[in-house]
Amino acid sequence: MTIMARQFHLKSRPEGLPQANNFELVEQDLPAPERGQLLVANRWLSVDPYMRGRMTGRESYMPPFQVGEPLDGAAIGVIVESKDERFSPGEVVSHFAGWRDRAIIDAASATRIDTTIPEQAYLGPLGFPGFAAYIGMLQIGKPRAGETVFVSAAAGSVGSLAVQIAKIKECRVVASAGGEDKLRWLREEAGADATINYKNTDDMVAALREAAPKGVDIYFDNVGGTHLEAALEAANDFARFALCGMIEQYNSEPVGPRNIYAVIEKSLLLQGFVTIHNMSVWEDFQRDVTRWIADGKVKWQETVVHGLERTPSAFLDLFAGKNIGKMVIDLRDGETP
Amino acid sequence: MTIMARQFHLKSRPEGLPQANNFELVEQDLPAPERGQLLVANRWLSVDPYMRGRMTGRESYMPPFQVGEPLDGAAIGVIVESKDERFSPGEVVSHFAGWRDRAIIDAASATRIDTTIPEQAYLGPLGFPGFAAYIGMLQIGKPRAGETVFVSAAAGSVGSLAVQIAKIKECRVVASAGGEDKLRWLREEAGADATINYKNTDDMVAALREAAPKGVDIYFDNVGGTHLEAALEAANDFARFALCGMIEQYNSEPVGPRNIYAVIEKSLLLQGFVTIHNMSVWEDFQRDVTRWIADGKVKWQETVVHGLERTPSAFLDLFAGKNIGKMVIDLRDGETP
């Protein structure tokens, strides 16, 4: 019996904002799993802004996607067939063969998940987006009670956890996002003390100074551009900047922060980071966030898109800010074998 | 008996490049020193690029100079009259009442110097420029043997010590400066392994990649602008950037580093710093650099200008790169009382 998989390939490299025609849905017969491999049927797929970087041809912390080859990324799947004694059919695992409905994966790349938590949380607060928030806020930000923390793209999958970790650490949190519905959730559910709707703000510096009258001690950057400039302007001496993403400039000619001299003048720390270089704290992260979820201290939102064929449009919607919280693709409707 | 002092005042705030008419030489009678004070006759004055920042009206890590008030800065003077039992006439001290020939200072602000070393070294390698190099290279750069270090404005008072500390730590050093005479000194005396004459270089990225084929692990920035962009481009993963100065943009509209995203992609650390926040390591610095000078491991150059009235032009020459090593003003000729 052959098993057919449908998977998205990179058809061409995007110039500027990616378009639907940069992606192609391809049908492919899968081989039978070999010893140490699993056949999984995906239930949830993740799309994330960082994937834009892999669509350029440039070498980076992850290898670039290749034209004509399948895309990949985080996914949650159920095991259909196992050739590894550690896993059994029916178990749900997180793995990295996303952008497709079925895959043969190495068992070593699969992680069994705690099914008492909604499984797609392992693409959000318990997945790499949550891990980015955890590393950036705790390892770099090192929040102290009473400090002021500014988080951009705060309603996204990374930002929303960054906000809540800062609140757990008893900081005052200023959150920016685009749209009143996002800001309301940040204030009412995530605990943000002040919010900025950047889409209604001509002057980010003035808005941030008003929202953070005592200055900014920690900036968690998901946006870059004018947000980064405003944070440099509002920073207190010795502030820490955890640089996680710069979505404002992924699809356009980048503009550098003109007030970069503030880094010297205010003795600022700017630390860039990527999750995969910090795996030594993964277990701590899983333990802490699982407990915070159980204690009701961490909440999250999802934007759910249904059906494999909508994966590219869900990805494109990230750059229009159409997601609230984690953008996920639900493949369960009629897709499970 | 009244004692007359001649001192430079800030006559007006510079717009762009400072001009001679931003400064005014004023004669003033000094009062007699009171208990705990010293009358000093200055022998050497320091002019430094950071002073440009204090000529704007902006609050910063040091208070701005005020229009109509005297400028100040590091100086070496001999005590003429002492009203403090810890000091005696004839002793040579470093202090902060520069830009003038005589001053009444608080004894607490004076530091006796080791006169076995040329006294003006206390404005250079043993003064705040050397301290900046020491903090930036050791506390932030944390050099390991075999790493590649890039230093900009490497022939200046800060950069030249940064180069030599990196060599003491057995690194490979790439040094940039403007002019072949500076580069020759860096190679032949300071031990730089490769040099870049930025004034002859259209493409700093290409020049740095060629000079640092294994990439840059530590960047000591005195320049900003295109140097900072090139360093971001050539940086290896986990590189450390000690941001000390940005002379390229002190007199012009600043341009931000367009490739700031490299900070995330390569997990870079950018740490700004100013010397006065790091006084807890001053004693270590004095001990180490004094020993390195005695061992012949640290050399320095000076550009000496004679006469108080030339202080502003010496300051302006910093921005044209006319100094090699530390720019100092020698007041000893016929000026000592």
Side-chain angles (χ1 to χ4, degrees), chain A residues 58 60-61 228 238 243-246 249-250 254 256-258 260-261 263-265 267-274 277, chain B residues 58 60-61 228 237-238 243-246 249-250 254 256-258 260-261 263-265 267-274 277:
Chain A
R58 209 156 41 93
S60 181
Y61 58 92
L228 177 56
F238 311 113
L243 304 188
C244 180
M246 296 188 175
Q249 63 180 54
Y250 290 172
R258 289 161 295 179
I260 185 77
Y261 183 68
V263 178
I264 297 177
E265 198 166 52
S267 296
L268 305 183
L269 167 79
L270 272 60
Q271 176 72 65
F273 69 103
V274 294
H277 292 141
Chain B
R58 208 156 42 93
S60 181
Y61 58 93
L228 178 55
D237 284 0
F238 311 112
L243 304 189
C244 180
M246 296 189 176
Q249 62 179 55
Y250 290 172
R258 290 162 294 180
I260 185 76
Y261 184 68
V263 178
I264 296 178
E265 197 166 53
S267 297
L268 305 182
L269 167 78
L270 271 60
Q271 176 73 66
F273 69 102
V274 294
H277 293 141

Short mmCIF file of all heavy atoms in Angstrom, two decimals, chain A residues 58 60-61 228 238 243-246 249-250 254 256-258 260-261 263-265 267-274 277, chain B residues 58 60-61 228 237-238 243-246 249-250 254 256-258 260-261 263-265 267-274 277:
data_model
loop_
_atom_site.label_atom_id
_atom_site.label_comp_id
_atom_site.label_asym_id
_atom_site.label_seq_id
_atom_site.Cartn_x
_atom_site.Cartn_y
_atom_site.Cartn_z
N ARG A 58 19.63 33.07 1.69
CA ARG A 58 20.78 33.37 2.52
C ARG A 58 20.99 32.33 3.61
O ARG A 58 20.06 31.92 4.27
CB ARG A 58 20.56 34.74 3.18
CG ARG A 58 21.77 35.52 3.50
CD ARG A 58 21.41 37.00 3.56
NE ARG A 58 20.13 37.19 4.21
CZ ARG A 58 19.99 37.45 5.51
NH1 ARG A 58 21.05 37.54 6.28
NH2 ARG A 58 18.80 37.64 6.03
N SER A 60 21.79 31.18 7.23
CA SER A 60 21.50 31.82 8.50
C SER A 60 21.54 30.76 9.59
O SER A 60 22.14 29.71 9.40
CB SER A 60 20.14 32.50 8.40
OG SER A 60 19.82 33.17 9.60
N TYR A 61 20.90 31.05 10.72
CA TYR A 61 20.95 30.08 11.82
C TYR A 61 20.18 28.82 11.49
O TYR A 61 20.37 27.79 12.13
CB TYR A 61 20.45 30.70 13.13
CG TYR A 61 19.05 31.25 13.10
CD1 TYR A 61 17.97 30.46 13.48
CD2 TYR A 61 18.81 32.56 12.71
CE1 TYR A 61 16.69 30.96 13.46
CE2 TYR A 61 17.53 33.07 12.69
CZ TYR A 61 16.47 32.27 13.07
OH TYR A 61 15.20 32.78 13.05
N LEU A 228 11.69 49.80 17.65
CA LEU A 228 13.03 49.75 18.24
C LEU A 228 13.56 51.15 18.51
O LEU A 228 14.14 51.43 19.56
CB LEU A 228 13.97 48.96 17.32
CG LEU A 228 15.43 48.85 17.74
CD1 LEU A 228 15.58 48.26 19.13
CD2 LEU A 228 16.20 48.00 16.71
N PHE A 238 21.09 51.39 31.47
CA PHE A 238 21.30 49.97 31.77
C PHE A 238 20.12 49.09 31.37
O PHE A 238 20.02 47.95 31.84
CB PHE A 238 21.64 49.74 33.25
CG PHE A 238 22.72 50.65 33.77
CD1 PHE A 238 22.45 51.62 34.71
CD2 PHE A 238 24.02 50.54 33.28
CE1 PHE A 238 23.44 52.48 35.18
CE2 PHE A 238 25.02 51.38 33.75
CZ PHE A 238 24.73 52.34 34.69
N LEU A 243 16.33 41.03 21.62
CA LEU A 243 15.93 41.18 20.22
C LEU A 243 15.58 39.81 19.65
O LEU A 243 16.45 38.95 19.48
CB LEU A 243 17.06 41.84 19.41
CG LEU A 243 17.55 43.20 19.93
CD1 LEU A 243 18.52 43.82 18.92
CD2 LEU A 243 16.40 44.15 20.21
N CYS A 244 14.29 39.63 19.40
CA CYS A 244 13.76 38.32 19.02
C CYS A 244 13.32 38.28 17.57
O CYS A 244 13.45 37.26 16.90
CB CYS A 244 12.59 38.01 19.94
SG CYS A 244 11.80 36.43 19.64
N GLY A 245 12.75 39.38 17.09
CA GLY A 245 12.25 39.42 15.71
C GLY A 245 12.09 40.85 15.26
O GLY A 245 12.06 41.77 16.08
N MET A 246 12.02 41.05 13.95
CA MET A 246 11.87 42.40 13.38
C MET A 246 10.89 42.33 12.21
O MET A 246 11.25 42.65 11.08
CB MET A 246 13.23 42.94 12.94
CG MET A 246 14.20 43.13 14.10
SD MET A 246 15.73 43.99 13.65
CE MET A 246 16.49 44.14 15.29
N GLN A 249 10.45 44.67 9.11
CA GLN A 249 11.38 44.81 7.99
C GLN A 249 11.66 43.52 7.24
O GLN A 249 12.59 43.46 6.45
CB GLN A 249 12.67 45.45 8.48
CG GLN A 249 13.44 44.62 9.50
CD GLN A 249 14.71 45.35 9.91
OE1 GLN A 249 14.68 46.50 10.32
NE2 GLN A 249 15.84 44.69 9.77
N TYR A 250 10.87 42.47 7.48
CA TYR A 250 11.16 41.22 6.78
C TYR A 250 10.87 41.31 5.29
O TYR A 250 11.42 40.56 4.50
CB TYR A 250 10.35 40.06 7.38
CG TYR A 250 10.79 39.64 8.76
CD1 TYR A 250 10.04 38.73 9.48
CD2 TYR A 250 11.95 40.13 9.34
CE1 TYR A 250 10.43 38.33 10.76
CE2 TYR A 250 12.33 39.74 10.61
CZ TYR A 250 11.56 38.84 11.31
OH TYR A 250 11.94 38.44 12.57
N PRO A 254 15.36 47.34 4.79
CA PRO A 254 15.46 47.66 6.21
C PRO A 254 16.00 49.06 6.45
O PRO A 254 16.81 49.59 5.69
CB PRO A 254 16.44 46.61 6.74
CG PRO A 254 17.20 46.15 5.56
CD PRO A 254 16.31 46.31 4.37
N GLY A 256 17.80 51.25 9.56
CA GLY A 256 18.44 51.08 10.87
C GLY A 256 17.93 52.10 11.87
O GLY A 256 17.43 53.15 11.49
N PRO A 257 18.06 51.79 13.15
CA PRO A 257 17.64 52.75 14.19
C PRO A 257 18.58 53.95 14.21
O PRO A 257 19.76 53.83 14.53
CB PRO A 257 17.74 51.93 15.48
CG PRO A 257 18.72 50.84 15.19
CD PRO A 257 18.60 50.54 13.72
N ARG A 258 18.04 55.12 13.88
CA ARG A 258 18.88 56.31 13.73
C ARG A 258 19.47 56.74 15.06
O ARG A 258 20.49 57.41 15.10
CB ARG A 258 18.04 57.45 13.12
CG ARG A 258 17.69 57.22 11.67
CD ARG A 258 16.52 58.08 11.25
NE ARG A 258 15.30 57.70 11.97
CZ ARG A 258 14.13 58.30 11.82
NH1 ARG A 258 14.00 59.32 10.99
NH2 ARG A 258 13.08 57.89 12.52
N ILE A 260 20.82 54.89 17.35
CA ILE A 260 21.63 53.79 17.88
C ILE A 260 22.64 54.29 18.92
O ILE A 260 23.07 53.53 19.79
CB ILE A 260 22.35 53.05 16.71
CG1 ILE A 260 23.12 51.82 17.18
CG2 ILE A 260 23.26 53.98 15.94
CD1 ILE A 260 22.27 50.62 17.47
N TYR A 261 23.00 55.57 18.86
CA TYR A 261 23.97 56.09 19.82
C TYR A 261 23.46 55.99 21.26
O TYR A 261 24.25 55.96 22.21
CB TYR A 261 24.34 57.54 19.49
CG TYR A 261 25.40 58.08 20.42
CD1 TYR A 261 26.70 57.59 20.37
CD2 TYR A 261 25.10 59.06 21.36
CE1 TYR A 261 27.68 58.05 21.24
CE2 TYR A 261 26.06 59.54 22.24
CZ TYR A 261 27.36 59.03 22.17
OH TYR A 261 28.31 59.49 23.03
N VAL A 263 22.57 53.51 22.67
CA VAL A 263 23.15 52.28 23.26
C VAL A 263 24.38 52.64 24.10
O VAL A 263 24.58 52.08 25.18
CB VAL A 263 23.50 51.25 22.17
CG1 VAL A 263 24.14 50.01 22.79
CG2 VAL A 263 22.25 50.85 21.39
N ILE A 264 25.18 53.57 23.60
CA ILE A 264 26.36 54.01 24.36
C ILE A 264 25.94 54.93 25.49
O ILE A 264 26.30 54.72 26.65
CB ILE A 264 27.36 54.72 23.43
CG1 ILE A 264 27.88 53.75 22.37
CG2 ILE A 264 28.49 55.34 24.24
CD1 ILE A 264 28.82 54.37 21.37
N GLU A 265 25.17 55.93 25.13
CA GLU A 265 24.85 56.99 26.08
C GLU A 265 24.18 56.45 27.33
O GLU A 265 24.39 56.95 28.44
CB GLU A 265 23.93 57.98 25.38
CG GLU A 265 23.84 59.30 26.02
CD GLU A 265 23.20 60.30 25.07
OE1 GLU A 265 22.10 60.02 24.53
OE2 GLU A 265 23.79 61.36 24.88
N SER A 267 24.28 53.10 28.24
CA SER A 267 24.86 51.81 28.64
C SER A 267 23.87 50.66 28.45
O SER A 267 23.64 49.85 29.34
CB SER A 267 25.33 51.84 30.10
OG SER A 267 26.36 52.78 30.27
N LEU A 268 23.27 50.60 27.26
CA LEU A 268 22.26 49.58 26.99
C LEU A 268 22.91 48.26 26.58
O LEU A 268 23.99 48.23 25.98
CB LEU A 268 21.31 50.04 25.89
CG LEU A 268 20.61 51.37 26.11
CD1 LEU A 268 19.65 51.66 24.95
CD2 LEU A 268 19.86 51.40 27.44
N LEU A 269 22.20 47.20 26.88
CA LEU A 269 22.53 45.86 26.38
C LEU A 269 21.53 45.48 25.31
O LEU A 269 20.32 45.46 25.57
CB LEU A 269 22.44 44.85 27.53
CG LEU A 269 22.46 43.37 27.11
CD1 LEU A 269 23.88 42.92 26.82
CD2 LEU A 269 21.86 42.49 28.22
N LEU A 270 22.01 45.19 24.10
CA LEU A 270 21.15 44.64 23.05
C LEU A 270 21.63 43.22 22.78
O LEU A 270 22.78 43.02 22.37
CB LEU A 270 21.24 45.46 21.75
CG LEU A 270 20.29 46.66 21.60
CD1 LEU A 270 20.49 47.68 22.70
CD2 LEU A 270 20.48 47.32 20.24
N GLN A 271 20.77 42.26 23.04
CA GLN A 271 21.17 40.86 22.85
C GLN A 271 20.20 40.20 21.88
O GLN A 271 19.01 40.10 22.16
CB GLN A 271 21.17 40.12 24.18
CG GLN A 271 21.47 38.64 24.09
CD GLN A 271 22.93 38.35 23.78
OE1 GLN A 271 23.81 38.65 24.57
NE2 GLN A 271 23.19 37.77 22.61
N GLY A 272 20.71 39.78 20.74
CA GLY A 272 19.91 38.98 19.82
C GLY A 272 19.98 37.52 20.22
O GLY A 272 20.96 37.08 20.83
N PHE A 273 18.95 36.78 19.86
CA PHE A 273 18.97 35.36 20.23
C PHE A 273 18.04 34.58 19.32
O PHE A 273 17.12 35.14 18.73
CB PHE A 273 18.55 35.17 21.70
CG PHE A 273 17.09 35.46 21.97
CD1 PHE A 273 16.18 34.43 22.13
CD2 PHE A 273 16.63 36.77 22.07
CE1 PHE A 273 14.83 34.69 22.37
CE2 PHE A 273 15.29 37.04 22.31
CZ PHE A 273 14.40 36.00 22.46
N VAL A 274 18.33 33.31 19.20
CA VAL A 274 17.42 32.38 18.51
C VAL A 274 17.26 31.17 19.41
O VAL A 274 18.19 30.80 20.14
CB VAL A 274 17.93 31.99 17.10
CG1 VAL A 274 17.92 33.20 16.18
CG2 VAL A 274 19.30 31.39 17.15
N HIS A 277 19.67 27.87 19.87
CA HIS A 277 20.97 27.91 20.55
C HIS A 277 20.82 27.83 22.06
O HIS A 277 21.82 27.96 22.79
CB HIS A 277 21.72 29.20 20.21
CG HIS A 277 22.15 29.26 18.77
ND1 HIS A 277 22.10 30.42 18.05
CD2 HIS A 277 22.60 28.31 17.94
CE1 HIS A 277 22.52 30.18 16.82
NE2 HIS A 277 22.83 28.90 16.73
N ARG B 58 21.59 68.48 25.51
CA ARG B 58 20.86 67.30 25.94
C ARG B 58 21.44 66.71 27.22
O ARG B 58 22.65 66.57 27.36
CB ARG B 58 20.95 66.26 24.81
CG ARG B 58 19.82 65.30 24.74
CD ARG B 58 19.74 64.77 23.30
NE ARG B 58 21.07 64.50 22.77
CZ ARG B 58 21.65 63.30 22.83
NH1 ARG B 58 21.03 62.28 23.36
NH2 ARG B 58 22.85 63.11 22.31
N SER B 60 22.60 63.77 29.50
CA SER B 60 23.19 62.50 29.14
C SER B 60 23.91 61.96 30.36
O SER B 60 23.64 62.38 31.48
CB SER B 60 24.12 62.70 27.95
OG SER B 60 24.70 61.48 27.56
N TYR B 61 24.85 61.03 30.14
CA TYR B 61 25.53 60.46 31.28
C TYR B 61 26.43 61.47 31.99
O TYR B 61 26.83 61.26 33.13
CB TYR B 61 26.33 59.21 30.88
CG TYR B 61 27.37 59.42 29.81
CD1 TYR B 61 28.68 59.70 30.16
CD2 TYR B 61 27.03 59.32 28.47
CE1 TYR B 61 29.64 59.88 29.18
CE2 TYR B 61 27.98 59.49 27.48
CZ TYR B 61 29.28 59.77 27.84
OH TYR B 61 30.22 59.96 26.87
N LEU B 228 30.24 50.17 11.74
CA LEU B 228 29.35 49.30 12.51
C LEU B 228 28.59 48.35 11.58
O LEU B 228 28.44 47.16 11.86
CB LEU B 228 28.38 50.16 13.34
CG LEU B 228 27.32 49.41 14.17
CD1 LEU B 228 27.95 48.38 15.11
CD2 LEU B 228 26.47 50.41 14.96
N ASP B 237 28.68 34.20 14.64
CA ASP B 237 27.67 33.93 15.65
C ASP B 237 28.24 34.20 17.04
O ASP B 237 29.40 33.86 17.32
CB ASP B 237 27.22 32.46 15.60
CG ASP B 237 26.28 32.19 14.43
OD1 ASP B 237 25.97 33.12 13.66
OD2 ASP B 237 25.86 31.02 14.28
N PHE B 238 27.44 34.79 17.89
CA PHE B 238 27.79 35.04 19.30
C PHE B 238 28.91 36.08 19.46
O PHE B 238 29.53 36.16 20.53
CB PHE B 238 28.18 33.75 20.04
CG PHE B 238 27.21 32.62 19.83
CD1 PHE B 238 27.56 31.49 19.10
CD2 PHE B 238 25.92 32.71 20.35
CE1 PHE B 238 26.66 30.46 18.90
CE2 PHE B 238 25.01 31.68 20.15
CZ PHE B 238 25.38 30.55 19.43
N LEU B 243 30.43 48.87 22.36
CA LEU B 243 30.14 50.15 21.70
C LEU B 243 30.60 51.28 22.60
O LEU B 243 30.03 51.53 23.67
CB LEU B 243 28.64 50.26 21.39
CG LEU B 243 28.04 49.14 20.55
CD1 LEU B 243 26.60 49.49 20.14
CD2 LEU B 243 28.87 48.83 19.31
N CYS B 244 31.65 51.96 22.15
CA CYS B 244 32.34 52.96 22.97
C CYS B 244 32.13 54.37 22.43
O CYS B 244 32.03 55.32 23.19
CB CYS B 244 33.82 52.61 22.99
SG CYS B 244 34.83 53.73 23.96
N GLY B 245 32.10 54.51 21.12
CA GLY B 245 31.95 55.83 20.52
C GLY B 245 31.49 55.70 19.08
O GLY B 245 31.58 54.63 18.47
N MET B 246 30.94 56.79 18.54
CA MET B 246 30.44 56.80 17.16
C MET B 246 30.81 58.12 16.50
O MET B 246 29.94 58.88 16.07
CB MET B 246 28.92 56.57 17.14
CG MET B 246 28.52 55.20 17.69
SD MET B 246 26.78 54.80 17.44
CE MET B 246 26.77 53.10 18.08
N GLN B 249 29.22 60.03 13.48
CA GLN B 249 27.91 60.67 13.46
C GLN B 249 27.73 61.75 14.51
O GLN B 249 26.62 62.21 14.72
CB GLN B 249 26.82 59.62 13.58
CG GLN B 249 26.85 58.84 14.86
CD GLN B 249 25.70 57.82 14.88
OE1 GLN B 249 25.56 57.00 13.98
NE2 GLN B 249 24.87 57.90 15.90
N TYR B 250 28.82 62.19 15.15
CA TYR B 250 28.63 63.22 16.17
C TYR B 250 28.25 64.57 15.58
O TYR B 250 27.65 65.40 16.26
CB TYR B 250 29.92 63.39 17.01
CG TYR B 250 30.23 62.22 17.92
CD1 TYR B 250 31.43 62.17 18.60
CD2 TYR B 250 29.33 61.19 18.11
CE1 TYR B 250 31.74 61.11 19.45
CE2 TYR B 250 29.63 60.13 18.94
CZ TYR B 250 30.84 60.09 19.61
OH TYR B 250 31.14 59.06 20.44
N PRO B 254 22.43 61.30 12.09
CA PRO B 254 22.84 59.90 12.23
C PRO B 254 22.06 58.97 11.29
O PRO B 254 20.89 59.20 10.97
CB PRO B 254 22.52 59.57 13.68
CG PRO B 254 21.49 60.57 14.09
CD PRO B 254 21.74 61.80 13.29
N GLY B 256 21.17 54.88 10.95
CA GLY B 256 21.21 53.63 11.70
C GLY B 256 21.76 52.49 10.87
O GLY B 256 21.73 52.54 9.64
N PRO B 257 22.29 51.46 11.52
CA PRO B 257 22.81 50.30 10.79
C PRO B 257 21.66 49.53 10.13
O PRO B 257 20.81 48.96 10.82
CB PRO B 257 23.50 49.48 11.88
CG PRO B 257 22.83 49.89 13.16
CD PRO B 257 22.43 51.32 12.98
N ARG B 258 21.65 49.52 8.80
CA ARG B 258 20.53 48.92 8.07
C ARG B 258 20.45 47.42 8.29
O ARG B 258 19.40 46.82 8.15
CB ARG B 258 20.67 49.23 6.58
CG ARG B 258 20.44 50.69 6.24
CD ARG B 258 21.00 51.04 4.89
NE ARG B 258 22.47 50.92 4.91
CZ ARG B 258 23.26 51.15 3.87
NH1 ARG B 258 22.74 51.51 2.70
NH2 ARG B 258 24.57 51.02 3.99
N ILE B 260 20.77 45.77 11.06
CA ILE B 260 20.60 45.51 12.51
C ILE B 260 20.03 44.12 12.75
O ILE B 260 20.25 43.53 13.83
CB ILE B 260 19.71 46.62 13.13
CG1 ILE B 260 19.60 46.49 14.65
CG2 ILE B 260 18.32 46.63 12.52
CD1 ILE B 260 20.80 46.96 15.41
N TYR B 261 19.32 43.56 11.78
CA TYR B 261 18.75 42.22 11.98
C TYR B 261 19.82 41.17 12.23
O TYR B 261 19.56 40.13 12.84
CB TYR B 261 17.87 41.83 10.78
CG TYR B 261 17.19 40.50 11.00
CD1 TYR B 261 16.19 40.36 11.96
CD2 TYR B 261 17.56 39.38 10.26
CE1 TYR B 261 15.58 39.13 12.18
CE2 TYR B 261 16.95 38.14 10.48
CZ TYR B 261 15.97 38.03 11.44
OH TYR B 261 15.37 36.81 11.67
N VAL B 263 21.89 41.19 14.40
CA VAL B 263 21.99 40.99 15.85
C VAL B 263 21.17 39.76 16.27
O VAL B 263 21.60 38.98 17.12
CB VAL B 263 21.52 42.25 16.62
CG1 VAL B 263 21.56 42.02 18.12
CG2 VAL B 263 22.38 43.45 16.25
N ILE B 264 20.01 39.60 15.66
CA ILE B 264 19.18 38.43 15.97
C ILE B 264 19.75 37.18 15.28
O ILE B 264 19.98 36.16 15.92
CB ILE B 264 17.73 38.65 15.52
CG1 ILE B 264 17.12 39.81 16.31
CG2 ILE B 264 16.91 37.37 15.67
CD1 ILE B 264 15.70 40.16 15.91
N GLU B 265 19.97 37.33 14.00
CA GLU B 265 20.34 36.18 13.19
C GLU B 265 21.61 35.49 13.70
O GLU B 265 21.74 34.27 13.63
CB GLU B 265 20.55 36.67 11.76
CG GLU B 265 20.55 35.60 10.73
CD GLU B 265 20.41 36.22 9.35
OE1 GLU B 265 21.21 37.13 8.99
OE2 GLU B 265 19.51 35.80 8.63
N SER B 267 22.87 36.00 16.89
CA SER B 267 22.89 36.00 18.37
C SER B 267 24.01 36.91 18.90
O SER B 267 24.82 36.52 19.73
CB SER B 267 23.08 34.59 18.93
OG SER B 267 22.00 33.76 18.58
N LEU B 268 24.03 38.14 18.41
CA LEU B 268 25.09 39.06 18.81
C LEU B 268 24.74 39.78 20.11
O LEU B 268 23.57 39.99 20.43
CB LEU B 268 25.31 40.12 17.72
CG LEU B 268 25.62 39.60 16.32
CD1 LEU B 268 25.87 40.77 15.37
CD2 LEU B 268 26.80 38.66 16.33
N LEU B 269 25.78 40.15 20.81
CA LEU B 269 25.68 41.01 21.99
C LEU B 269 26.21 42.39 21.61
O LEU B 269 27.36 42.51 21.18
CB LEU B 269 26.53 40.45 23.13
CG LEU B 269 26.76 41.39 24.32
CD1 LEU B 269 25.54 41.42 25.22
CD2 LEU B 269 27.98 40.96 25.12
N LEU B 270 25.37 43.41 21.76
CA LEU B 270 25.83 44.80 21.60
C LEU B 270 25.71 45.45 22.97
O LEU B 270 24.60 45.56 23.51
CB LEU B 270 24.96 45.56 20.59
CG LEU B 270 25.37 45.50 19.11
CD1 LEU B 270 25.38 44.07 18.60
CD2 LEU B 270 24.44 46.35 18.26
N GLN B 271 26.82 45.88 23.51
CA GLN B 271 26.81 46.48 24.84
C GLN B 271 27.44 47.86 24.76
O GLN B 271 28.62 47.99 24.42
CB GLN B 271 27.58 45.60 25.84
CG GLN B 271 27.71 46.18 27.22
CD GLN B 271 26.41 46.15 28.02
OE1 GLN B 271 25.91 45.09 28.35
NE2 GLN B 271 25.86 47.33 28.33
N GLY B 272 26.63 48.87 25.05
CA GLY B 272 27.17 50.22 25.17
C GLY B 272 27.70 50.43 26.58
O GLY B 272 27.26 49.78 27.51
N PHE B 273 28.67 51.34 26.69
CA PHE B 273 29.21 51.58 28.04
C PHE B 273 29.85 52.95 28.08
O PHE B 273 30.26 53.50 27.06
CB PHE B 273 30.24 50.50 28.41
CG PHE B 273 31.52 50.56 27.63
CD1 PHE B 273 32.67 51.11 28.18
CD2 PHE B 273 31.58 50.10 26.32
CE1 PHE B 273 33.85 51.18 27.45
CE2 PHE B 273 32.75 50.17 25.58
CZ PHE B 273 33.89 50.70 26.14
N VAL B 274 29.92 53.49 29.29
CA VAL B 274 30.68 54.71 29.53
C VAL B 274 31.55 54.45 30.76
O VAL B 274 31.17 53.71 31.65
CB VAL B 274 29.77 55.95 29.72
CG1 VAL B 274 29.04 56.27 28.43
CG2 VAL B 274 28.78 55.76 30.84
N HIS B 277 30.63 54.67 34.76
CA HIS B 277 29.79 53.69 35.45
C HIS B 277 30.57 52.45 35.86
O HIS B 277 29.97 51.48 36.34
CB HIS B 277 28.62 53.27 34.56
CG HIS B 277 27.64 54.37 34.31
ND1 HIS B 277 27.04 54.56 33.09
CD2 HIS B 277 27.16 55.34 35.12
CE1 HIS B 277 26.23 55.61 33.15
NE2 HIS B 277 26.29 56.09 34.38
#
